[in-house]
């Protein structure tokens, strides 16, 4: 079958054809010829006779004109030949967390890696050094999959122009920080999206601790962090001391290391500590592995737990992503991480690069509770939420037609076969020439009327 | 005899067609002769003049009156009747319906049908008076000449000649009329849309030379009442003449056509010929009687195209 790149010239041709049909119904025609011997006594005058007929006259001329218009419209609409088969292309957009599970990915997608049908797999690139713990890519915003989907769809159509429609599958991480972008961009993909999400260990969701057993090491007597914990700890369920020898799922052990950076980090590996959360908060504000600033400065605000903590906060180090994977859970007002969590959902270390000057009361303000809550939360709690069920259930609709992708993206597509528009235009011109010939012939035949007359050959006597 | 004209001939049985004027020297016949002789019907006495034949003296009157008178009588002569039938293309109006030769007095009779019927009727009347009847038919196949005859099957042969002819062509009448003798009665049956001036000139010469000319002007009813719808009227003999006609132009057309007919009647009569107008659809026996009587019903009255009007 013939498909069209831009149908509007054909629509214009169809409109002109309809107008032509109407004109054939209302055309002003020559009146019928009347053979009248006394025509010489008629005074010359102009008379216009508009006749209306229920059926269009000159059907042959009408047919030729309409066909010529439609052929010309088709030629200008960029016709292309669409084979009988309707190949379906597959685009798979996956979170890097699926790399280690690519065989399962292929199995879930239900496609082979060969070119029939064509398949393209796009990985949502996050921070390469951050790895699975980063909140960039789909882990930070699920909607990051959609721009990748458009890109991969365009590449697929460029490589396989005969593709008729595209099916999109998204392999999402187990958790994502935001689906706002997904909700905003979802409507731009005019088709079905089949969602797959990694299993969430759910450690953070299943956390049922009601009490936090806090152990503090390396702190002095007038440590203001400890003082802040003492002030706000009750509302957070904090009690000083160990968790006890009997493991209690309702108690989360938190170790707060206030010693020097090196010592604090080594302290996390101490064999006698079994905390699930280790808070490394050096007094100098430089956790191990962080880059020391040439000059310490202060920041007017700190963001944690969705709250803004205004105050005069000191910072003397900057988190170095190359030091290992980590998930920021608190940020300075300029967006740089202030607190980074490392580890997994069962056990983690939170490195705090916040320098609280001695005598400062920033941690004593009620807003500081948000920072403490972030520090004391279960591991993985700030790595986002599981992919909502409504997003996973979004599998309605059909595969996206290739035309929709081509219309949205500047994909170079050629008219195939290349001779088809020229052939259609040539046929239209031939029909116009034939119409001219038929019109001339019809006019000449209409003028040849009257009786068959012959000259008298001579006198002939009757017998 | 063709059944087409059977009713017409039956209706014309016993009709006589006297000559308009005294004819010249000819064979004895039924028409008043210009010659005065001693045979035939007594008309008057005349004083005997020197040179008269003494055998023509009426001796009884001489005995009674003692004066010599000669008995005079009128001679009767034959007059040859030539029927000239115009079979040009304009005579084929209106277009013949189912049969090429329709009923001459039918609703859709063409001018040719009526002309043929009039020629047959007049020929039968003339033949019944013992006059030789001849015909000249100018039709699509050329000019056919039927020599004057008095024998029994003359009218039948005339009918056959007319049936074998079909209207067409644009032959002028005047050259064919010039071939006819002058001392005869010539009846021209035509629609006068051809060479009218030349024919008029021939007619004037013929009448001046002692001949008799009768003109039967055949007019179609459809030429008097045009269709209401707009049409492109085209002259069948002159295709270059074509004009648009609609209801708005009917009055002017009728006025021009009436003027033409009136002028033709005036000119023919002024030339000394008899002029008779016959409209298709009229009663043909009445039309023939009017012609032989010297005036067609309503003939010569322009604008009166209704049949049956007039004396």
């Amino acid at each position: 079958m013939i498909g069209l790149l831009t149908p509007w010239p054909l629509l214009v041709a169809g409109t002109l054809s309809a107008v032509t049909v109407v004109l054939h119904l209302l055309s002003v025609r020559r009146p019928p010829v009347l053979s009248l011997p006394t025509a010489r006594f008629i005074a010359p005058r102009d008379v216009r006779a508009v006749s209306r007929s229920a059926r269009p006259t000159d059907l042959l001329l009408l047919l030729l004109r309409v066909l010529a218009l439609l052929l010309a419209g088709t030629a200008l609409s960029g016709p292309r030949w669409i084979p009988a088969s309707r190949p379906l292309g597959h685009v798979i957009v996956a979170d890097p967390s699926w790399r280690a599970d690519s065989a399962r990915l292929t199995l879930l997608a239900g496609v082979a890696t060969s070119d029939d049908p064509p398949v393209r797999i796009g990985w949502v690139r996050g921070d390469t050094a951050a790895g699975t713990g980063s909140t960039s890519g789909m882990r930070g915003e699920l909607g990051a999959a959609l721009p990748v989907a458009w890109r991969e769809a365009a590449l697929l159509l460029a490589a396989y122009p005969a593709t008729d429609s595209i099916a999109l599958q998204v392999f999402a991480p187990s958790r994502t920080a935001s689906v706002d972008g997904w909700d905003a961009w979802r409507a731009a993909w005019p088709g079905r999206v089949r969602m797959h999400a990694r299993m969430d260990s759910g450690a953070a969701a299943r956390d049922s601790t009601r009490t936090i057993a806090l152990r503090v090491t390396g702190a002095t007597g007038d440590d203001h962090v400890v003082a802040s914990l003492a002030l706000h700890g009750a509302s957070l369920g904090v009690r000083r001391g160990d968790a006890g020898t009997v493991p209690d799922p309702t108690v989360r052990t938190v170790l707060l290391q206030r010693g020097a950076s090196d010592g604090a980090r080594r302290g996390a590996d101490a064999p006698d500590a079994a905390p699930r959360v280790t808070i490394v908060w050096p007094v100098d504000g430089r956790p191990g592995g962080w880059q020391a600033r040439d000059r310490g400065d202060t920041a007017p605000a700190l963001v944690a737990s969705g709250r803004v903590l205004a105050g005069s906060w000191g910072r003397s180090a900057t988190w170095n992503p190359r030091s290992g994977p980590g998930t920021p859970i608190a940020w300075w007002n300029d967006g740089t991480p202030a607190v980074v969590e490392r580890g997994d959902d069962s056990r983690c270390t939170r490195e705090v690069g916040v320098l609280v000057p001695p005598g400062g009361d920033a941690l004593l303000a009620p807003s500081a509770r948000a920072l403490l809550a972030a520090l004391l939360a279960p591991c993985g709690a700030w790595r986002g939420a599981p992919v909502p069920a409504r997003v996973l259930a979004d599998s309605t609709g059909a595969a996206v037609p290739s035309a929709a992708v081509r219309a949205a993206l500047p994909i170079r597509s050629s008219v195939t076969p290349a001779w088809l528009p020229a052939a259609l235009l040539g046929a239209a011109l031939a029909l116009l020439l034939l119409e001219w010939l038929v019109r001339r012939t019809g006019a000449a035949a209409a003028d040849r009327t009257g009786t068959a007359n012959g000259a008298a050959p001579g006198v002939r006597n009757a017998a | 005899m063709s059944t087409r004209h059977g009713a017409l001939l039956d209706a014309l049985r016993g009709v006589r067609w006297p000559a308009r004027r005294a004819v010249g020297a000819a064979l004895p016949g039924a028409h008043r002769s210009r010659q005065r002789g001693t045979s035939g019907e007594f008309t008057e006495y005349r004083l005997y003049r020197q040179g008269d034949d003494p055998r023509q003296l009426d001796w009884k009157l001489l005995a009674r009156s003692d004066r010599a008178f000669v008995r005079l009588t009128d001679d009767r002569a034959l007059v040859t009747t030539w029927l000239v039938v115009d079979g040009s293309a304009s005579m084929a109006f209106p277009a013949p319906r189912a049969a090429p030769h329709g009923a001459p007095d039918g609703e859709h009779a063409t001018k040719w049908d009526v002309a043929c019927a009039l020629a047959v009727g007049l020929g039968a009347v003339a033949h019944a008076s013992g006059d030789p009847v001849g015909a000249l038919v100018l039709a699509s196949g050329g000019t056919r000449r039927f020599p004057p005859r008095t024998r029994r099957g003359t009218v039948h042969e005339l009918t056959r000649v007319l049936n074998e002819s079909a209207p067409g062509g644009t032959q002028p009448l005047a050259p064919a009329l010039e071939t006819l003798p002058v001392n005869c009665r010539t009846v021209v049956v035509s629609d006068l849309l051809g060479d009218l001036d030349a024919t008029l000139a021939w007619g004037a010469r013929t009448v001046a030379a002692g001949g008799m000319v009768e003109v039967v002007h055949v007019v179609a009813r459809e030429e008097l009442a045009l269709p209401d719808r707009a049409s492109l009227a085209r002259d069948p003999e002159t295709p270059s003449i074509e004009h648009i006609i609609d209801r708005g132009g009917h009055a002017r057309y009728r006025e021009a056509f009436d003027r033409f007919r009136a002028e033709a009647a005036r000119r023919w009569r002024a030339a000394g010929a008899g002029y008779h107008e016959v409209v298709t659809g009229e009663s043909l026996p009445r039309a023939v009687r009017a012609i032989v009587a010297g005036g067609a019903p309503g003939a010569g009255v322009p604008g009166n195209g209704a049949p049956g009007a007039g004396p």
Side-chain angles (χ1 to χ4, degrees):
Chain A
M1 62 176 280
I2 293 180
L4 304 174
L5 290 177
T6 55
W8 67 263
L10 185 59
L11 292 176
V12 171
T15 304
L16 292 177
S17 300
V19 171
T20 303
V21 172
V22 172
L23 289 178
H24 271 253
L25 286 169
L26 298 176
S27 62
V28 176
R29 298 177 295 161
R30 282 166 66 92
V33 175
L34 172 66
S35 179
L36 183 66
T38 54
R40 70 192 71 175
F41 303 111
I42 299 174
R45 58 196 289 258
D46 292 330
V47 173
R48 291 183 70 82
V50 179
S51 62
R52 295 182 184 86
S53 60
R55 295 172 52 197
T57 59
D58 300 329
L59 289 178
L60 179 59
L61 280 178
L62 174 62
L63 181 65
L64 291 173
R65 289 164 181 165
V66 168
L67 276 179
L69 283 171
L70 292 179
L71 283 176
T74 304
L76 296 175
S77 297
R80 60 191 180 93
W81 184 253
I82 299 177
S85 62
R86 310 287 294 272
L88 175 68
H90 294 269
V91 169
I92 298 172
V93 178
D95 182 72
S97 61
W98 285 86
R99 282 186 189 276
D101 218 353
S102 59
R104 183 163 165 263
L105 180 152
T106 306
L107 182 65
L108 287 173
V111 296
T113 55
S114 63
D115 289 342
D116 184 19
V119 178
R120 279 201 68 92
I121 301 178
W123 302 95
V124 181
R125 196 173 74 89
D127 196 325
T128 54
T132 57
S134 171
T135 54
S136 58
M138 280 204 282
R139 299 185 72 83
E141 170 52 62
L142 188 63
L146 292 174
V148 176
W150 280 106
R151 181 190 70 202
E152 296 302 323
L155 292 174
L156 185 143
L157 290 178
Y160 303 95
T163 302
D164 180 71
S165 56
I166 297 174
L168 172 63
Q169 298 188 62
V170 175
F171 287 81
S174 57
R175 303 177 74 84
T176 181
S178 170
V179 295
D180 295 340
W182 175 271
D183 293 336
W185 297 341
R186 174 61 183 91
W189 182 263
R192 181 184 64 219
V193 179
R194 190 175 166 195
M195 296 293 297
H196 308 272
R198 289 188 68 84
M199 292 295 292
D200 182 18
S201 63
R206 291 194 298 271
D207 183 86
S208 59
T209 55
R210 295 190 295 273
T211 306
I212 300 174
L214 179 64
R215 287 198 300 124
V216 180
T217 63
T220 58
D222 57 350
D223 189 281
H224 35 271
V225 173
V226 175
S228 174
L229 284 168
L231 181 64
H232 301 295
S235 60
L236 297 173
V238 175
R239 66 176 176 82
R240 292 292 298 275
D242 292 326
T245 57
V246 179
D248 188 351
T250 64
V251 178
R252 180 166 68 247
T253 303
V254 176
L255 172 64
L256 173 61
Q257 299 180 345
R258 286 290 286 162
S261 55
D262 292 342
R265 191 161 181 82
R266 284 195 297 273
D269 299 331
D272 60 342
R276 287 149 75 169
V277 178
T278 303
I279 303 174
V280 178
W281 195 336
V283 175
D284 59 357
R286 295 174 188 171
W290 288 48
Q291 256 180 336
R293 290 175 178 261
D294 296 336
R295 270 193 312 180
D297 63 352
T298 59
L302 184 66
V303 179
S305 301
R307 297 280 305 273
V308 176
L309 287 65
S312 179
W313 304 91
R315 52 183 180 180
S316 59
T318 304
W319 176 57
N320 182 10
R322 299 180 187 279
S323 63
T327 303
I329 61 174
W331 297 263
W332 297 113
N333 63 299
D334 59 359
T336 55
V339 179
V340 175
E341 178 182 299
R342 303 180 191 272
D344 54 27
D345 294 346
S346 60
R347 196 176 299 275
C348 61
T349 302
R350 291 178 175 138
E351 300 171 357
V352 183
V354 178
L355 173 64
V356 180
D361 59 354
L363 289 177
L364 300 178
S367 58
R369 186 176 178 278
L371 176 61
L372 298 178
L375 293 175
L376 296 172
C379 294
W382 305 111
R383 296 191 195 131
V387 178
R390 62 177 176 82
V391 176
L392 293 175
D394 181 15
S395 295
T396 58
V400 175
S402 302
V405 178
R406 288 195 175 92
L409 298 173
I411 300 173
R412 286 178 59 84
S413 60
S414 62
V415 174
T416 57
W419 52 263
L420 188 57
L424 291 174
L425 272 178
L429 289 174
L431 285 176
L432 285 178
L433 180 63
L434 183 60
E435 184 265 349
W436 176 74
L437 287 173
V438 170
R439 190 153 33 92
R440 273 194 67 183
T441 306
D447 288 339
R448 288 196 298 270
T449 58
T451 58
N453 300 324
V459 175
R460 184 155 56 94
N461 290 334
Chain B
M1 182 67 65
S2 169
T3 56
R4 293 181 64 229
H5 306 296
L8 172 65
L9 296 177
D10 287 342
L12 296 175
R13 203 184 300 270
V15 176
R16 293 293 178 263
W17 190 2
R20 284 177 176 274
R21 61 172 72 171
V23 299
L27 293 173
H31 304 279
R32 187 166 50 90
S33 171
R34 285 197 290 271
Q35 286 188 337
R36 308 295 291 276
T38 57
S39 62
E41 184 179 344
F42 168 77
T43 55
E44 64 179 335
Y45 285 107
R46 178 171 61 82
L47 281 173
Y48 177 83
R49 295 196 294 260
Q50 186 172 3
D52 288 340
D53 187 356
R55 287 176 294 182
Q56 293 179 357
L57 281 172
D58 191 333
W59 295 105
K60 291 183 179 176
L61 183 60
L62 177 61
R64 285 200 300 272
S65 65
D66 207 18
R67 295 173 76 178
F69 290 92
V70 178
R71 293 171 62 92
L72 295 177
T73 58
D74 281 333
D75 277 342
R76 294 283 172 177
L78 293 173
V79 59
T80 301
T81 301
W82 275 96
L83 301 168
V84 179
V85 184
D86 179 9
S88 60
S90 60
M91 294 294 288
F93 181 82
R97 295 298 174 106
H101 296 283
D105 54 352
E107 185 179 349
H108 303 294
T110 64
K111 289 191 288 186
W112 170 253
D113 296 333
V114 171
C116 291
L118 290 172
V120 169
L122 292 170
V125 170
H127 183 261
S129 300
D131 293 328
V133 175
L136 206 62
V137 181
L138 292 82
S140 60
T143 303
R144 296 193 69 178
R145 190 183 182 95
F146 180 75
R149 292 175 186 144
T150 58
R151 64 190 183 200
R152 196 172 174 176
T154 299
V155 176
H156 177 72
E157 291 180 24
L158 172 63
T159 305
R160 180 179 60 82
V161 168
L162 290 171
N163 287 343
E164 291 173 355
S165 304
T170 58
Q171 293 187 83
L173 286 176
L177 291 171
E178 295 290 348
T179 64
L180 298 177
V182 175
N183 56 342
C184 64
R185 176 168 57 191
T186 307
V187 182
V188 179
V189 186
S190 171
D191 57 3
L192 302 184
L193 295 177
D195 53 341
L196 178 60
D197 293 336
T199 309
L200 270 167
W202 163 85
R205 289 197 304 273
T206 300
V207 171
M212 287 173 285
V213 176
E214 300 287 340
V215 174
V216 181
H217 185 186
V218 183
V219 176
R221 259 189 321 191
E222 290 78 0
E223 290 173 337
L224 297 173
L226 298 181
D228 287 340
R229 63 173 183 178
S231 307
L232 178 64
R234 180 179 292 156
D235 190 325
E237 294 185 16
T238 311
S240 61
I241 299 177
E242 57 180 26
H243 301 294
I244 299 286
I245 181 67
D246 64 348
R247 188 183 299 180
H250 283 184
R252 290 183 63 184
Y253 160 78
R254 184 61 188 267
E255 183 184 334
F257 190 36
D258 290 346
R259 195 163 49 241
F260 162 76
R261 286 156 50 221
E263 182 65 17
R266 185 192 66 78
R267 293 176 70 185
W268 278 109
R269 291 199 177 102
Y275 175 87
H276 316 274
E277 183 179 288
V278 178
V279 180
T280 59
E282 280 183 16
S283 167
L284 291 173
R286 285 188 67 185
V288 172
R289 287 202 183 92
I291 293 171
V292 302
V301 181
N304 185 5

